[in-house]
Amino acid sequence: AQSVTQLDSHVSVSEGTPVLLRCNYSSSYSPSLFWYVQHPNKGLQLLLKYTSAATLVKGINGFEAEFKKSETSFHLTKPSAHMSDAAEYFCVVSDQYLRSNTGKLIFGQGTTLQVKP
Amino acid sequence: GAVVSQHPSRVICKSGTSVKIECRSLDFQATTMFWYRQFPKQSLMLMATSNEGSKATYEQGVEKDKFLINHASLTLSTLTVTSAHPEDSSFYICSARRVGGSTEAFFGQGTRLTVV
């Protein structure tokens, strides 16, 4: 069974300082992993995805994440936070089966990122 | 990019009435769409998987007769909340995957349902 755990429900950083949002996953299959961002009362926007290619994945808005199989982790980082980064972030795992695109997305609990001026 | 449009973005309805929410993939075909429910300050909970031309697959604990899902075409899935009650008030979000595409899912903007 697949699962994902976001280790921090709330992270607060100052503008211009690094961001680290932690995510650990569990998957019986070779997983696909995603990070999505959600601003208040909005849908979800994909930040980046890992699908068994390069382990260091670069996404939009300066975010990146590293897939570490030995640690079953997929932490999200950004060198310098902006005020506009304040939002809810979700780590997501998909159990993608071969020749099928019906794998479910399993969401983490979410991490609220607060950026202080 | 792939765009998923969800309509309406907000709806207020009276208890006992039914509400239909539409999810459309605007520039791609989607054999599979997913419906989620999100409570305030919580994660997304998968309600059901909608497959074009067949019955939806509901997650455990989700009432099939309460949340009717129809996926009549490769670009449209609908969720109807029947006989709505205040406890059905929530944020509902759909997502879709391309036919034969990657594992990435594209999300609608969400629908805020308030039952009074």
Side-chain angles (χ1 to χ4, degrees):
Chain A
Q2 290 71 33
S3 67
V4 60
T5 302
Q6 290 181 242
L7 301 171
D8 307 292
S9 60
H10 188 100
V11 170
S12 181
V13 300
S14 297
E15 190 175 21
T17 64
V19 175
L20 170 63
L21 304 183
R22 299 182 294 167
C23 173
N24 285 103
Y25 71 92
S26 171
S27 177
S28 303
Y29 300 88
S30 179
S32 292
L33 292 159
F34 309 83
W35 276 98
Y36 284 89
V37 61
Q38 184 183 33
H39 289 89
N41 292 311
K42 299 290 185 183
L44 278 72
Q45 180 183 21
L46 179 69
L47 284 176
L48 48 80
K49 61 181 178 181
Y50 166 78
T51 54
S52 75
T55 56
L56 181 61
V57 182
K58 294 187 183 297
I60 62 171
N61 301 335
F63 285 95
E64 62 181 41
E66 186 172 6
F67 174 73
K68 292 186 177 180
K69 187 175 181 179
S70 61
E71 299 177 9
T72 61
S73 70
F74 190 58
H75 301 333
L76 181 71
T77 60
K78 181 173 181 177
S80 175
H82 292 175
M83 295 297 292
S84 60
D85 294 328
E88 190 77 11
Y89 291 79
F90 293 99
C91 182
V92 180
V93 64
S94 171
D95 53 343
Q96 176 68 9
Y97 298 97
L98 292 176
R99 303 191 187 91
S100 166
N101 66 345
T102 58
K104 296 177 184 178
L105 294 182
I106 309 298
F107 280 76
Q109 303 90 327
T111 298
T112 301
L113 176 63
Q114 180 187 20
V115 182
K116 296 179 289 187
Chain B
V3 178
V4 175
S5 176
Q6 196 171 332
H7 179 80
S9 58
R10 279 180 189 276
V11 58
I12 300 173
C13 71
K14 293 184 177 180
S15 288
T17 62
S18 295
V19 173
K20 180 185 285 189
I21 302 170
E22 292 188 347
C23 180
R24 292 181 184 273
S25 54
L26 297 185
D27 51 0
F28 66 99
Q29 293 183 328
T31 52
T32 304
M33 292 186 175
F34 304 88
W35 287 96
Y36 297 86
R37 183 173 181 176
Q38 185 179 31
F39 291 102
K41 299 191 183 302
Q42 293 190 26
S43 189
L44 278 70
M45 179 191 77
L46 180 65
M47 299 175 65
T49 302
S50 167
N51 297 295
E52 186 266 335
S54 64
K55 291 182 179 180
T57 302
Y58 290 82
E59 295 300 301
Q60 192 173 10
V62 178
E63 299 176 59
K64 301 178 183 181
D65 297 331
K66 175 74 170 174
F67 300 100
L68 300 179
I69 291 173
N70 183 274
H71 194 156
S73 76
L74 286 172
T75 59
L76 174 64
S77 177
T78 61
L79 167 67
T80 301
V81 183
T82 62
S83 186
H85 291 283
E87 56 265 30
D88 298 326
S89 298
S90 193
F91 194 57
Y92 294 87
I93 305 177
C94 71
S95 73
R97 282 207 178 99
R98 297 176 189 269
V99 173
S102 70
T103 55
E104 180 180 350
F106 302 94
F107 286 81
Q109 309 93 315
T111 297
R112 171 71 59 192
L113 170 63
T114 303
V115 184
V116 298

